[in-house]
Amino acid sequence: MAEIKNYTMNFGPQHPAAHGVLRLVLEMDGEVIRRADPHIGLLHRATEKLAENRTYLQSIPYMDRLDYVSMMMNEHAFIMTIEKFLNLEVPIRAQYIRVMFDEITRILNHLLWLGAHALDVGAMTVFLYAFREREDLFDCYEAVSGARMHAAYYRPGGVYRDLPDTMPRYELTKNRSKKEVEKLNANRQGSLLDFIEDFTKRFPNYVDEYETLLTDNRIWKQRTVGIGVVDPERAIALGMTGPMLRGSGVEWDLRKKQPYEVYHLLDFDIPIGKEGDCYDRYLVRIEEMRESNKIIRQCIDWLRKNPGEVITKDTKVAPPKREDMKEDMEAMIHHFKLFTEGFHLPKGEAYAAVEHPKGEFGTYIISDGANKPYRLKIRAPGFPHLAALNEMTQGHMLSDLVAIIGTQDIVFGEIDR
Amino acid sequence: MKTKAKLLLENVKKSLAKKIVRSCLRFDEVTITIKADETIDVLKILKDKPEFHFKQLIDLCGVDYLEFPEEQVNERRFAVVYHLLSLKNNQRIRVKVFLENNEFPILPTVISLWPVADWYEREAFDLLGIMFLNHPDLRRILTDYGFIGHPFRKDFPMIGKVEMRYDPSQKRVIYEPVSIEQRNNVPRIIRDEGFHNG
């Protein structure tokens, strides 16, 4: 019999299933993976170093570009750390807005994950459906911040501005008939909240649609059940958080365990898995989308009834009102100082984390009392997940590797930072 | 009423006693500073003792204190910060270790306690040049293949040292010293205490 040796194979960095720029050096025994060595850093932009040279306010947009499929959540962790330093009181309305947009972001992220994961495993349709819904959510982002993705909407002490009363509408063009435009604008007649409410009414049906395509699908199950099993103790030791940890049956969610903003006032459940395989993590994330939908609806109800301020009145960290600046000298000075020098954090260090769609996203700031951080460390959830790839893929086939990359919900913006 | 963090700090002080160099409780977060040669012992106690039960290493990062104002933190330049999380007790702790040698900062690896430390330590090595004793595979992780220097050190310029371009005559990508100048539009300013209070 001929002697067969292990051979090494290169995977990526330009590969559709690599979710960006992942390069893997695989040691293969036939079609079975013996060792996987991820080479990362192809998207490294030294965000942490850049932040050391910029004021806190200038760094917020960099946060959007970390995990570029769940933009606002990244900002949230960063500004929560700043608020911890300054002991800022955030208006309750701003807290509800943040929670609502956090959950919109979670749906955004999970939709992309679902579409990409299914596409990797061979189901094309889900991808197209998922992007249809993402479009609506991007419109919410756009209505509130002017940007479809990189919003920079959360600010220390609140959010940039209140929710708009009107939704942007489609306009008549050469290629669009009046009837079509009317149809497109049907749910855009009211305020942003009406639009989101309309979405939350439709969304559970959409999730059902995805589930009919996948949950009982024989091929989907063959590709995910029993693949990449992680037992709970190992998941904890490997630093897994978020759905990766919950998929293994560990009840851990920062929204429940260490509640921030108004999560303690809202009613929602935390789904957990049982087996710790790709299929369970799929079910957990699907259920999370339904829970997020529930949270959004509660936020809409509250926000409708309770108008009010959305950003702190402390003009040291938030810009004063335009009208005040015309009359009041001090407001003018505050505005100028805020956007040139920025605000200072007291000397010390703090860490704050949010339950990001991918896991625990935290920022650790060391301040020397200046207007810029002395050191910023971003704790990206994807980093330990990808580190566990070697362990998760050992003994699996090459095609299962793709399913495991999919289930880890890898985004290189946050891993490479 | 004692907060949870305060209780934790008391417990930690009781169990570790002399091993703690400095401890502090701020923003409801517990930070302890320990000696470099006792790192493994202390972390092992924090991980395995049932009242601590810090089974998860959430984050590990290096810090370069070169330009930190005043005190200069005992003239020790590098520190490694561990963020631990206990799922059972639902609490966090931050452990800080200052490294003895500024020229060759080295610390034993904690992979045996938390396997997740593998990549975090590689990152700290890559970005700050902190060595980890007994690490099985201490390669660069985030920077380019063949990168020289440790970019997150304070004496490494923000714009880097080399830039890359394709050279048509040599028909390959070449590295050259950077041609741009570093810009700093907002100076780093430290105000006196109480400046903002009027």
Side-chain angles (χ1 to χ4, degrees), chain A residues 56-57 60 82-83 85-89 155-158 311-320 334-335 337-339 342-346, chain B residues 196:
Chain A
Y56 292 99
L57 223 46
I60 295 174
I82 294 172
E83 281 162 5
F85 266 103
L86 295 169
N87 201 9
L88 270 181
E89 197 140 315
R155 299 292 161 91
I311 193 158
T312 175
K313 286 206 175 84
D314 183 355
T315 44
K316 301 280 186 207
V317 290
H334 275 142
H335 182 267
K337 284 308 264 182
L338 179 66
F339 288 110
F343 52 85
H344 298 243
L345 296 194
Chain B
H196 287 298

PDB file of all heavy atoms in Angstrom, chain A residues 56-57 60 82-83 85-89 155-158 311-320 334-335 337-339 342-346, chain B residues 196:
ATOM      1  N   TYR A  56     -11.651  61.534  22.651  1.00  0.00           N
ATOM      2  CA  TYR A  56     -12.642  60.465  22.826  1.00  0.00           C
ATOM      3  C   TYR A  56     -13.751  60.562  21.792  1.00  0.00           C
ATOM      4  O   TYR A  56     -14.182  59.560  21.240  1.00  0.00           O
ATOM      5  CB  TYR A  56     -13.214  60.512  24.238  1.00  0.00           C
ATOM      6  CG  TYR A  56     -12.192  60.133  25.273  1.00  0.00           C
ATOM      7  CD1 TYR A  56     -11.510  61.088  26.002  1.00  0.00           C
ATOM      8  CD2 TYR A  56     -11.878  58.800  25.486  1.00  0.00           C
ATOM      9  CE1 TYR A  56     -10.551  60.733  26.930  1.00  0.00           C
ATOM     10  CE2 TYR A  56     -10.918  58.441  26.402  1.00  0.00           C
ATOM     11  CZ  TYR A  56     -10.255  59.405  27.129  1.00  0.00           C
ATOM     12  OH  TYR A  56      -9.301  59.045  28.030  1.00  0.00           O
ATOM     13  N   LEU A  57     -14.174  61.795  21.530  1.00  0.00           N
ATOM     14  CA  LEU A  57     -15.265  61.976  20.579  1.00  0.00           C
ATOM     15  C   LEU A  57     -14.839  61.555  19.169  1.00  0.00           C
ATOM     16  O   LEU A  57     -15.607  60.972  18.420  1.00  0.00           O
ATOM     17  CB  LEU A  57     -15.685  63.453  20.590  1.00  0.00           C
ATOM     18  CG  LEU A  57     -17.170  63.763  20.575  1.00  0.00           C
ATOM     19  CD1 LEU A  57     -17.937  62.914  21.556  1.00  0.00           C
ATOM     20  CD2 LEU A  57     -17.401  65.231  20.860  1.00  0.00           C
ATOM     21  N   ILE A  60     -15.078  57.699  18.383  1.00  0.00           N
ATOM     22  CA  ILE A  60     -16.344  56.950  18.289  1.00  0.00           C
ATOM     23  C   ILE A  60     -16.549  56.349  16.896  1.00  0.00           C
ATOM     24  O   ILE A  60     -16.876  55.176  16.781  1.00  0.00           O
ATOM     25  CB  ILE A  60     -17.540  57.829  18.715  1.00  0.00           C
ATOM     26  CG1 ILE A  60     -17.423  58.177  20.195  1.00  0.00           C
ATOM     27  CG2 ILE A  60     -18.858  57.110  18.478  1.00  0.00           C
ATOM     28  CD1 ILE A  60     -18.457  59.137  20.691  1.00  0.00           C
ATOM     29  N   ILE A  82     -16.581  55.378  28.956  1.00  0.00           N
ATOM     30  CA  ILE A  82     -16.395  56.815  29.197  1.00  0.00           C
ATOM     31  C   ILE A  82     -17.370  57.306  30.268  1.00  0.00           C
ATOM     32  O   ILE A  82     -17.005  58.039  31.178  1.00  0.00           O
ATOM     33  CB  ILE A  82     -16.603  57.598  27.881  1.00  0.00           C
ATOM     34  CG1 ILE A  82     -15.507  57.235  26.883  1.00  0.00           C
ATOM     35  CG2 ILE A  82     -16.603  59.094  28.137  1.00  0.00           C
ATOM     36  CD1 ILE A  82     -15.724  57.805  25.504  1.00  0.00           C
ATOM     37  N   GLU A  83     -18.616  56.840  30.160  1.00  0.00           N
ATOM     38  CA  GLU A  83     -19.621  57.271  31.134  1.00  0.00           C
ATOM     39  C   GLU A  83     -19.285  56.783  32.538  1.00  0.00           C
ATOM     40  O   GLU A  83     -19.579  57.443  33.527  1.00  0.00           O
ATOM     41  CB  GLU A  83     -21.004  56.768  30.710  1.00  0.00           C
ATOM     42  CG  GLU A  83     -21.602  57.640  29.624  1.00  0.00           C
ATOM     43  CD  GLU A  83     -22.733  56.974  28.883  1.00  0.00           C
ATOM     44  OE1 GLU A  83     -23.121  55.853  29.272  1.00  0.00           O
ATOM     45  OE2 GLU A  83     -23.220  57.567  27.912  1.00  0.00           O
ATOM     46  N   PHE A  85     -16.291  56.485  33.735  1.00  0.00           N
ATOM     47  CA  PHE A  85     -15.271  57.404  34.229  1.00  0.00           C
ATOM     48  C   PHE A  85     -15.896  58.692  34.740  1.00  0.00           C
ATOM     49  O   PHE A  85     -15.539  59.202  35.795  1.00  0.00           O
ATOM     50  CB  PHE A  85     -14.312  57.771  33.086  1.00  0.00           C
ATOM     51  CG  PHE A  85     -13.079  56.932  33.014  1.00  0.00           C
ATOM     52  CD1 PHE A  85     -12.956  55.936  32.063  1.00  0.00           C
ATOM     53  CD2 PHE A  85     -12.039  57.146  33.883  1.00  0.00           C
ATOM     54  CE1 PHE A  85     -11.817  55.167  31.981  1.00  0.00           C
ATOM     55  CE2 PHE A  85     -10.889  56.391  33.807  1.00  0.00           C
ATOM     56  CZ  PHE A  85     -10.772  55.390  32.857  1.00  0.00           C
ATOM     57  N   LEU A  86     -16.807  59.243  33.951  1.00  0.00           N
ATOM     58  CA  LEU A  86     -17.348  60.557  34.261  1.00  0.00           C
ATOM     59  C   LEU A  86     -18.542  60.483  35.185  1.00  0.00           C
ATOM     60  O   LEU A  86     -19.049  61.507  35.623  1.00  0.00           O
ATOM     61  CB  LEU A  86     -17.755  61.264  32.954  1.00  0.00           C
ATOM     62  CG  LEU A  86     -16.614  61.585  32.001  1.00  0.00           C
ATOM     63  CD1 LEU A  86     -17.161  62.024  30.663  1.00  0.00           C
ATOM     64  CD2 LEU A  86     -15.728  62.671  32.573  1.00  0.00           C
ATOM     65  N   ASN A  87     -18.999  59.285  35.472  1.00  0.00           N
ATOM     66  CA  ASN A  87     -20.168  59.087  36.304  1.00  0.00           C
ATOM     67  C   ASN A  87     -21.345  59.895  35.757  1.00  0.00           C
ATOM     68  O   ASN A  87     -22.022  60.609  36.482  1.00  0.00           O
ATOM     69  CB  ASN A  87     -19.849  59.497  37.743  1.00  0.00           C
ATOM     70  CG  ASN A  87     -20.805  58.863  38.718  1.00  0.00           C
ATOM     71  OD1 ASN A  87     -21.593  57.994  38.322  1.00  0.00           O
ATOM     72  ND2 ASN A  87     -20.755  59.276  39.952  1.00  0.00           N
ATOM     73  N   LEU A  88     -21.554  59.784  34.481  1.00  0.00           N
ATOM     74  CA  LEU A  88     -22.569  60.577  33.789  1.00  0.00           C
ATOM     75  C   LEU A  88     -23.935  59.957  33.947  1.00  0.00           C
ATOM     76  O   LEU A  88     -24.083  58.740  33.895  1.00  0.00           O
ATOM     77  CB  LEU A  88     -22.267  60.620  32.291  1.00  0.00           C
ATOM     78  CG  LEU A  88     -21.405  61.725  31.755  1.00  0.00           C
ATOM     79  CD1 LEU A  88     -21.285  61.544  30.258  1.00  0.00           C
ATOM     80  CD2 LEU A  88     -22.011  63.067  32.064  1.00  0.00           C
ATOM     81  N   GLU A  89     -24.911  60.808  34.102  1.00  0.00           N
ATOM     82  CA  GLU A  89     -26.272  60.299  34.114  1.00  0.00           C
ATOM     83  C   GLU A  89     -26.844  60.397  32.711  1.00  0.00           C
ATOM     84  O   GLU A  89     -26.863  61.472  32.118  1.00  0.00           O
ATOM     85  CB  GLU A  89     -27.112  61.111  35.089  1.00  0.00           C
ATOM     86  CG  GLU A  89     -28.365  60.382  35.431  1.00  0.00           C
ATOM     87  CD  GLU A  89     -28.699  60.519  36.907  1.00  0.00           C
ATOM     88  OE1 GLU A  89     -27.787  60.367  37.754  1.00  0.00           O
ATOM     89  OE2 GLU A  89     -29.861  60.783  37.188  1.00  0.00           O
ATOM     90  N   ARG A 155     -23.478  58.827  21.867  1.00  0.00           N
ATOM     91  CA  ARG A 155     -22.502  59.792  22.367  1.00  0.00           C
ATOM     92  C   ARG A 155     -22.427  59.663  23.880  1.00  0.00           C
ATOM     93  O   ARG A 155     -23.404  59.255  24.507  1.00  0.00           O
ATOM     94  CB  ARG A 155     -22.929  61.224  22.014  1.00  0.00           C
ATOM     95  CG  ARG A 155     -23.056  61.499  20.547  1.00  0.00           C
ATOM     96  CD  ARG A 155     -21.700  61.479  19.857  1.00  0.00           C
ATOM     97  NE  ARG A 155     -21.843  61.297  18.426  1.00  0.00           N
ATOM     98  CZ  ARG A 155     -21.950  62.298  17.563  1.00  0.00           C
ATOM     99  NH1 ARG A 155     -21.951  63.530  17.972  1.00  0.00           N
ATOM    100  NH2 ARG A 155     -22.059  62.046  16.283  1.00  0.00           N
ATOM    101  N   PRO A 156     -21.300  60.040  24.444  1.00  0.00           N
ATOM    102  CA  PRO A 156     -21.239  60.017  25.907  1.00  0.00           C
ATOM    103  C   PRO A 156     -22.358  60.881  26.463  1.00  0.00           C
ATOM    104  O   PRO A 156     -22.507  62.040  26.061  1.00  0.00           O
ATOM    105  CB  PRO A 156     -19.867  60.621  26.212  1.00  0.00           C
ATOM    106  CG  PRO A 156     -19.082  60.431  24.986  1.00  0.00           C
ATOM    107  CD  PRO A 156     -20.032  60.458  23.846  1.00  0.00           C
ATOM    108  N   GLY A 157     -23.154  60.301  27.323  1.00  0.00           N
ATOM    109  CA  GLY A 157     -24.249  61.062  27.922  1.00  0.00           C
ATOM    110  C   GLY A 157     -25.576  60.929  27.209  1.00  0.00           C
ATOM    111  O   GLY A 157     -26.538  61.584  27.597  1.00  0.00           O
ATOM    112  N   GLY A 158     -25.660  60.135  26.175  1.00  0.00           N
ATOM    113  CA  GLY A 158     -26.945  59.960  25.504  1.00  0.00           C
ATOM    114  C   GLY A 158     -26.765  59.517  24.074  1.00  0.00           C
ATOM    115  O   GLY A 158     -25.872  58.730  23.766  1.00  0.00           O
ATOM    116  N   ILE A 311     -29.992  63.568  25.546  1.00  0.00           N
ATOM    117  CA  ILE A 311     -28.567  63.663  25.831  1.00  0.00           C
ATOM    118  C   ILE A 311     -28.389  64.539  27.066  1.00  0.00           C
ATOM    119  O   ILE A 311     -29.210  65.410  27.358  1.00  0.00           O
ATOM    120  CB  ILE A 311     -27.774  64.181  24.602  1.00  0.00           C
ATOM    121  CG1 ILE A 311     -26.284  63.979  24.817  1.00  0.00           C
ATOM    122  CG2 ILE A 311     -28.074  65.638  24.307  1.00  0.00           C
ATOM    123  CD1 ILE A 311     -25.469  63.938  23.548  1.00  0.00           C
ATOM    124  N   THR A 312     -27.346  64.253  27.784  1.00  0.00           N
ATOM    125  CA  THR A 312     -27.130  64.947  29.046  1.00  0.00           C
ATOM    126  C   THR A 312     -27.000  66.451  28.836  1.00  0.00           C
ATOM    127  O   THR A 312     -26.603  66.919  27.770  1.00  0.00           O
ATOM    128  CB  THR A 312     -25.873  64.392  29.728  1.00  0.00           C
ATOM    129  OG1 THR A 312     -25.603  65.158  30.888  1.00  0.00           O
ATOM    130  CG2 THR A 312     -24.673  64.461  28.816  1.00  0.00           C
ATOM    131  N   LYS A 313     -27.339  67.203  29.884  1.00  0.00           N
ATOM    132  CA  LYS A 313     -27.240  68.666  29.773  1.00  0.00           C
ATOM    133  C   LYS A 313     -25.848  69.151  30.137  1.00  0.00           C
ATOM    134  O   LYS A 313     -25.559  70.339  30.069  1.00  0.00           O
ATOM    135  CB  LYS A 313     -28.274  69.309  30.683  1.00  0.00           C
ATOM    136  CG  LYS A 313     -29.685  69.198  30.149  1.00  0.00           C
ATOM    137  CD  LYS A 313     -30.539  70.343  30.690  1.00  0.00           C
ATOM    138  CE  LYS A 313     -31.927  70.360  30.087  1.00  0.00           C
ATOM    139  NZ  LYS A 313     -32.861  69.477  30.763  1.00  0.00           N
ATOM    140  N   ASP A 314     -24.999  68.242  30.558  1.00  0.00           N
ATOM    141  CA  ASP A 314     -23.632  68.607  30.938  1.00  0.00           C
ATOM    142  C   ASP A 314     -22.859  69.016  29.686  1.00  0.00           C
ATOM    143  O   ASP A 314     -22.448  68.177  28.884  1.00  0.00           O
ATOM    144  CB  ASP A 314     -22.972  67.397  31.609  1.00  0.00           C
ATOM    145  CG  ASP A 314     -21.583  67.716  32.105  1.00  0.00           C
ATOM    146  OD1 ASP A 314     -21.116  68.839  31.840  1.00  0.00           O
ATOM    147  OD2 ASP A 314     -20.975  66.856  32.744  1.00  0.00           O
ATOM    148  N   THR A 315     -22.684  70.315  29.506  1.00  0.00           N
ATOM    149  CA  THR A 315     -22.078  70.785  28.255  1.00  0.00           C
ATOM    150  C   THR A 315     -20.573  70.544  28.195  1.00  0.00           C
ATOM    151  O   THR A 315     -19.930  70.902  27.223  1.00  0.00           O
ATOM    152  CB  THR A 315     -22.368  72.280  28.033  1.00  0.00           C
ATOM    153  OG1 THR A 315     -22.162  72.949  29.259  1.00  0.00           O
ATOM    154  CG2 THR A 315     -23.781  72.489  27.567  1.00  0.00           C
ATOM    155  N   LYS A 316     -20.007  69.945  29.258  1.00  0.00           N
ATOM    156  CA  LYS A 316     -18.602  69.562  29.164  1.00  0.00           C
ATOM    157  C   LYS A 316     -18.423  68.337  28.264  1.00  0.00           C
ATOM    158  O   LYS A 316     -17.358  68.129  27.693  1.00  0.00           O
ATOM    159  CB  LYS A 316     -18.052  69.219  30.545  1.00  0.00           C
ATOM    160  CG  LYS A 316     -18.141  70.327  31.543  1.00  0.00           C
ATOM    161  CD  LYS A 316     -17.032  71.341  31.376  1.00  0.00           C
ATOM    162  CE  LYS A 316     -17.095  72.350  32.509  1.00  0.00           C
ATOM    163  NZ  LYS A 316     -16.544  73.643  32.125  1.00  0.00           N
ATOM    164  N   VAL A 317     -19.439  67.514  28.176  1.00  0.00           N
ATOM    165  CA  VAL A 317     -19.304  66.308  27.354  1.00  0.00           C
ATOM    166  C   VAL A 317     -20.270  66.276  26.174  1.00  0.00           C
ATOM    167  O   VAL A 317     -20.048  65.527  25.230  1.00  0.00           O
ATOM    168  CB  VAL A 317     -19.493  65.018  28.185  1.00  0.00           C
ATOM    169  CG1 VAL A 317     -18.336  64.811  29.120  1.00  0.00           C
ATOM    170  CG2 VAL A 317     -20.790  65.029  28.936  1.00  0.00           C
ATOM    171  N   ALA A 318     -21.331  67.054  26.234  1.00  0.00           N
ATOM    172  CA  ALA A 318     -22.276  67.067  25.117  1.00  0.00           C
ATOM    173  C   ALA A 318     -22.405  68.497  24.610  1.00  0.00           C
ATOM    174  O   ALA A 318     -22.382  69.433  25.406  1.00  0.00           O
ATOM    175  CB  ALA A 318     -23.633  66.558  25.585  1.00  0.00           C
ATOM    176  N   PRO A 319     -22.523  68.686  23.320  1.00  0.00           N
ATOM    177  CA  PRO A 319     -22.590  70.055  22.807  1.00  0.00           C
ATOM    178  C   PRO A 319     -23.843  70.767  23.291  1.00  0.00           C
ATOM    179  O   PRO A 319     -24.891  70.148  23.447  1.00  0.00           O
ATOM    180  CB  PRO A 319     -22.621  69.866  21.286  1.00  0.00           C
ATOM    181  CG  PRO A 319     -23.051  68.465  21.074  1.00  0.00           C
ATOM    182  CD  PRO A 319     -22.580  67.695  22.245  1.00  0.00           C
ATOM    183  N   PRO A 320     -23.738  72.088  23.536  1.00  0.00           N
ATOM    184  CA  PRO A 320     -24.924  72.842  23.931  1.00  0.00           C
ATOM    185  C   PRO A 320     -25.875  72.997  22.752  1.00  0.00           C
ATOM    186  O   PRO A 320     -25.511  72.728  21.611  1.00  0.00           O
ATOM    187  CB  PRO A 320     -24.340  74.190  24.352  1.00  0.00           C
ATOM    188  CG  PRO A 320     -23.059  74.296  23.637  1.00  0.00           C
ATOM    189  CD  PRO A 320     -22.543  72.913  23.452  1.00  0.00           C
ATOM    190  N   HIS A 334     -18.071  76.470  25.473  1.00  0.00           N
ATOM    191  CA  HIS A 334     -18.164  75.025  25.681  1.00  0.00           C
ATOM    192  C   HIS A 334     -18.144  74.279  24.356  1.00  0.00           C
ATOM    193  O   HIS A 334     -17.483  73.262  24.206  1.00  0.00           O
ATOM    194  CB  HIS A 334     -19.457  74.689  26.435  1.00  0.00           C
ATOM    195  CG  HIS A 334     -19.307  74.818  27.909  1.00  0.00           C
ATOM    196  ND1 HIS A 334     -20.305  75.310  28.706  1.00  0.00           N
ATOM    197  CD2 HIS A 334     -18.274  74.541  28.727  1.00  0.00           C
ATOM    198  CE1 HIS A 334     -19.882  75.323  29.963  1.00  0.00           C
ATOM    199  NE2 HIS A 334     -18.657  74.864  30.001  1.00  0.00           N
ATOM    200  N   HIS A 335     -18.915  74.800  23.420  1.00  0.00           N
ATOM    201  CA  HIS A 335     -18.980  74.160  22.113  1.00  0.00           C
ATOM    202  C   HIS A 335     -17.599  74.119  21.475  1.00  0.00           C
ATOM    203  O   HIS A 335     -17.135  73.087  20.993  1.00  0.00           O
ATOM    204  CB  HIS A 335     -19.962  74.930  21.227  1.00  0.00           C
ATOM    205  CG  HIS A 335     -20.143  74.329  19.868  1.00  0.00           C
ATOM    206  ND1 HIS A 335     -19.400  74.729  18.793  1.00  0.00           N
ATOM    207  CD2 HIS A 335     -20.959  73.352  19.425  1.00  0.00           C
ATOM    208  CE1 HIS A 335     -19.759  74.029  17.739  1.00  0.00           C
ATOM    209  NE2 HIS A 335     -20.702  73.177  18.089  1.00  0.00           N
ATOM    210  N   LYS A 337     -14.621  74.398  22.935  1.00  0.00           N
ATOM    211  CA  LYS A 337     -13.672  73.557  23.658  1.00  0.00           C
ATOM    212  C   LYS A 337     -13.967  72.077  23.444  1.00  0.00           C
ATOM    213  O   LYS A 337     -13.053  71.263  23.322  1.00  0.00           O
ATOM    214  CB  LYS A 337     -13.720  73.870  25.170  1.00  0.00           C
ATOM    215  CG  LYS A 337     -13.042  75.145  25.555  1.00  0.00           C
ATOM    216  CD  LYS A 337     -11.628  75.224  25.024  1.00  0.00           C
ATOM    217  CE  LYS A 337     -10.574  74.783  26.022  1.00  0.00           C
ATOM    218  NZ  LYS A 337      -9.230  74.930  25.444  1.00  0.00           N
ATOM    219  N   LEU A 338     -15.249  71.755  23.391  1.00  0.00           N
ATOM    220  CA  LEU A 338     -15.617  70.344  23.240  1.00  0.00           C
ATOM    221  C   LEU A 338     -15.109  69.791  21.913  1.00  0.00           C
ATOM    222  O   LEU A 338     -14.598  68.679  21.847  1.00  0.00           O
ATOM    223  CB  LEU A 338     -17.138  70.187  23.332  1.00  0.00           C
ATOM    224  CG  LEU A 338     -17.637  68.756  23.166  1.00  0.00           C
ATOM    225  CD1 LEU A 338     -17.162  67.889  24.318  1.00  0.00           C
ATOM    226  CD2 LEU A 338     -19.143  68.718  23.095  1.00  0.00           C
ATOM    227  N   PHE A 339     -15.224  70.594  20.851  1.00  0.00           N
ATOM    228  CA  PHE A 339     -14.864  70.060  19.546  1.00  0.00           C
ATOM    229  C   PHE A 339     -13.411  70.327  19.160  1.00  0.00           C
ATOM    230  O   PHE A 339     -12.960  69.888  18.117  1.00  0.00           O
ATOM    231  CB  PHE A 339     -15.825  70.562  18.469  1.00  0.00           C
ATOM    232  CG  PHE A 339     -17.166  69.924  18.588  1.00  0.00           C
ATOM    233  CD1 PHE A 339     -18.270  70.632  19.008  1.00  0.00           C
ATOM    234  CD2 PHE A 339     -17.311  68.571  18.329  1.00  0.00           C
ATOM    235  CE1 PHE A 339     -19.498  70.022  19.136  1.00  0.00           C
ATOM    236  CE2 PHE A 339     -18.533  67.956  18.454  1.00  0.00           C
ATOM    237  CZ  PHE A 339     -19.635  68.681  18.865  1.00  0.00           C
ATOM    238  N   GLY A 342     -11.732  68.688  23.363  1.00  0.00           N
ATOM    239  CA  GLY A 342     -12.449  67.504  23.843  1.00  0.00           C
ATOM    240  C   GLY A 342     -12.534  67.515  25.346  1.00  0.00           C
ATOM    241  O   GLY A 342     -12.043  68.415  25.998  1.00  0.00           O
ATOM    242  N   PHE A 343     -13.165  66.480  25.891  1.00  0.00           N
ATOM    243  CA  PHE A 343     -13.282  66.428  27.356  1.00  0.00           C
ATOM    244  C   PHE A 343     -12.213  65.501  27.922  1.00  0.00           C
ATOM    245  O   PHE A 343     -11.619  64.706  27.209  1.00  0.00           O
ATOM    246  CB  PHE A 343     -14.685  65.970  27.769  1.00  0.00           C
ATOM    247  CG  PHE A 343     -15.127  64.700  27.124  1.00  0.00           C
ATOM    248  CD1 PHE A 343     -14.776  63.474  27.673  1.00  0.00           C
ATOM    249  CD2 PHE A 343     -15.889  64.709  25.963  1.00  0.00           C
ATOM    250  CE1 PHE A 343     -15.173  62.300  27.077  1.00  0.00           C
ATOM    251  CE2 PHE A 343     -16.282  63.533  25.366  1.00  0.00           C
ATOM    252  CZ  PHE A 343     -15.920  62.331  25.925  1.00  0.00           C
ATOM    253  N   HIS A 344     -11.972  65.649  29.196  1.00  0.00           N
ATOM    254  CA  HIS A 344     -10.929  64.862  29.862  1.00  0.00           C
ATOM    255  C   HIS A 344     -11.560  63.802  30.737  1.00  0.00           C
ATOM    256  O   HIS A 344     -12.593  64.038  31.357  1.00  0.00           O
ATOM    257  CB  HIS A 344     -10.084  65.770  30.747  1.00  0.00           C
ATOM    258  CG  HIS A 344      -9.367  66.823  29.985  1.00  0.00           C
ATOM    259  ND1 HIS A 344      -7.996  66.895  29.934  1.00  0.00           N
ATOM    260  CD2 HIS A 344      -9.817  67.843  29.218  1.00  0.00           C
ATOM    261  CE1 HIS A 344      -7.640  67.915  29.178  1.00  0.00           C
ATOM    262  NE2 HIS A 344      -8.735  68.505  28.729  1.00  0.00           N
ATOM    263  N   LEU A 345     -10.939  62.675  30.798  1.00  0.00           N
ATOM    264  CA  LEU A 345     -11.372  61.666  31.767  1.00  0.00           C
ATOM    265  C   LEU A 345     -10.427  61.739  32.959  1.00  0.00           C
ATOM    266  O   LEU A 345      -9.233  61.980  32.791  1.00  0.00           O
ATOM    267  CB  LEU A 345     -11.321  60.262  31.170  1.00  0.00           C
ATOM    268  CG  LEU A 345     -12.238  59.964  30.004  1.00  0.00           C
ATOM    269  CD1 LEU A 345     -12.301  58.465  29.766  1.00  0.00           C
ATOM    270  CD2 LEU A 345     -13.627  60.488  30.233  1.00  0.00           C
ATOM    271  N   PRO A 346     -10.947  61.508  34.159  1.00  0.00           N
ATOM    272  CA  PRO A 346     -10.046  61.502  35.319  1.00  0.00           C
ATOM    273  C   PRO A 346      -9.054  60.355  35.216  1.00  0.00           C
ATOM    274  O   PRO A 346      -9.267  59.378  34.495  1.00  0.00           O
ATOM    275  CB  PRO A 346     -10.991  61.324  36.504  1.00  0.00           C
ATOM    276  CG  PRO A 346     -12.249  60.782  35.938  1.00  0.00           C
ATOM    277  CD  PRO A 346     -12.337  61.296  34.544  1.00  0.00           C
TER     278      PRO A 346
ATOM    279  N   HIS B 196     -12.213  71.427  35.762  1.00  0.00           N
ATOM    280  CA  HIS B 196     -13.551  71.485  35.194  1.00  0.00           C
ATOM    281  C   HIS B 196     -14.603  71.927  36.192  1.00  0.00           C
ATOM    282  O   HIS B 196     -15.742  72.138  35.828  1.00  0.00           O
ATOM    283  CB  HIS B 196     -13.925  70.121  34.613  1.00  0.00           C
ATOM    284  CG  HIS B 196     -13.192  69.857  33.348  1.00  0.00           C
ATOM    285  ND1 HIS B 196     -13.356  70.639  32.248  1.00  0.00           N
ATOM    286  CD2 HIS B 196     -12.283  68.925  33.019  1.00  0.00           C
ATOM    287  CE1 HIS B 196     -12.573  70.188  31.277  1.00  0.00           C
ATOM    288  NE2 HIS B 196     -11.906  69.150  31.729  1.00  0.00           N
TER     289      HIS B 196
END
